Amino acid sequence: MQRWGWQKVHHPDEVARVVERIKVAFATGEAWEDTFPLRSKTGEYRWFLSRALPITDEGGRVVRWFGTNTDITEQRQLEQALRASRDELEQKVTHHTAELSRTNEILRSILKNMGDAVIVADNASTFLVFNPAAERMFGKGAMQMPSTEWSHRYGLYLPDKVTPFPHDQLPMTRSIRGEKVDNVEMFVRHEKAPHGLWTEVTGRPLRGANGDVLGGVTVCRDITQLKE
């Protein structure tokens, strides 16, 4: 191990690189660090983190080096295992994301081409889904406003055609409260439908995985011709 004899315990694939780097450190007097495999007396290679610091005299001249070799084989194996697990997880996430994207694309296509209006709102009365049929039926798209203004802004009336639909009895409001709503008739009149139209509304609570109400979903069908 004297002088450069230590090269004998280095892996042949790594030794040239290690020697080149440590020669630079010896020439410049800079601290050195590297990671490489070293061979034991049984012939087994294990990975080590090697560090060396120069020791100088009062004049700043390097008189010797102080070095350490730390066995990091288990650490590397753990890191490799974690990296492999992470890569596997990333692949699964990527695959799941692609599947989710495809599912969302199908859902968007369904909502776009449905003849019935589909509206989804969260429990803060913020619209999350307002499909094209809903925009046609109610004369405008999703607007962010308190639920107390829905009847006025969208022209929603009771079957007498003149009384604004009470906001606390609107199918969406009831759905957000956790109620099941079936076949509620509503008259809709706005500037794009001055003569008005009839719609039949079904609503359901939107629930999370634990059963908590997250919002509401309503489906509105145009029954004007049927009523006429």
Side-chain angles (χ1 to χ4, degrees):
M1 296 293 290
Q2 293 294 324
R3 298 184 63 80
W4 294 96
W6 52 263
Q7 297 180 54
K8 296 177 182 179
V9 298
H10 278 258
H11 195 284
D13 294 342
E14 301 280 343
V15 65
R17 177 187 63 80
V18 174
V19 170
E20 188 66 28
R21 290 196 59 193
I22 201 166
K23 280 183 176 180
V24 173
F26 287 162
T28 61
E30 296 178 352
W32 169 81
E33 180 178 309
D34 206 345
T35 303
F36 41 71
L38 295 177
R39 179 172 51 82
S40 72
K41 63 180 180 180
T42 63
E44 173 195 13
Y45 281 99
R46 294 180 66 82
W47 282 87
F48 283 80
L49 169 63
S50 186
R51 292 189 174 106
L53 294 174
I55 298 176
T56 59
D57 58 17
E58 293 180 355
R61 184 173 60 91
V62 177
V63 293
R64 60 176 58 88
W65 287 79
F66 173 77
T68 60
N69 282 321
T70 306
D71 190 330
I72 59 169
T73 305
E74 284 78 10
Q75 180 181 335
R76 280 179 61 90
Q77 291 171 346
L78 178 59
E79 289 175 350
Q80 290 172 351
L82 289 173
R83 191 177 300 113
S85 297
R86 183 195 63 193
D87 292 344
E88 182 181 0
L89 179 60
E90 287 178 350
Q91 291 177 358
K92 289 181 178 179
V93 169
T94 299
H95 176 73
H96 178 70
T97 301
E99 288 294 317
L100 185 60
S101 177
R102 180 173 177 272
T103 300
N104 286 340
E105 193 63 36
I106 293 172
L107 179 59
R108 281 193 292 269
S109 178
I110 291 172
L111 290 172
K112 180 180 179 180
N113 293 286
M114 281 185 67
D116 293 343
V118 178
I119 304 172
V120 181
D122 62 20
N123 52 20
S125 300
T126 299
F127 292 123
L128 306 177
V129 174
F130 210 94
N131 75 336
E135 295 182 6
R136 292 191 297 269
M137 182 175 291
F138 299 105
K140 53 179 69 72
M143 298 185 295
Q144 304 311 320
M145 68 184 77
S147 60
T148 54
E149 296 184 21
W150 286 348
S151 292
H152 171 67
R153 299 292 290 276
Y154 287 106
L156 312 179
Y157 296 91
L158 291 174
D160 64 8
K161 299 184 180 182
V162 294
T163 305
F165 213 108
H167 72 88
D168 61 336
Q169 294 302 311
L170 286 167
M172 178 59 79
T173 305
R174 292 175 58 189
S175 297
I176 293 173
R177 284 202 301 258
E179 298 179 29
K180 179 180 177 182
V181 181
D182 286 312
N183 307 322
V184 172
E185 290 189 359
M186 182 187 300
F187 188 73
V188 182
R189 183 171 52 238
H190 47 77
E191 59 183 12
K192 295 182 180 179
H195 300 294
L197 55 90
W198 288 92
T199 180
E200 185 177 73
V201 187
T202 298
R204 294 291 185 274
L206 179 65
R207 298 184 183 275
N210 59 0
D212 291 343
V213 177
L214 305 179
V217 183
T218 59
V219 177
C220 312
R221 174 163 297 175
D222 189 334
I223 59 169
T224 304
Q225 292 184 354
L226 179 62
K227 293 289 286 187
E228 290 175 349

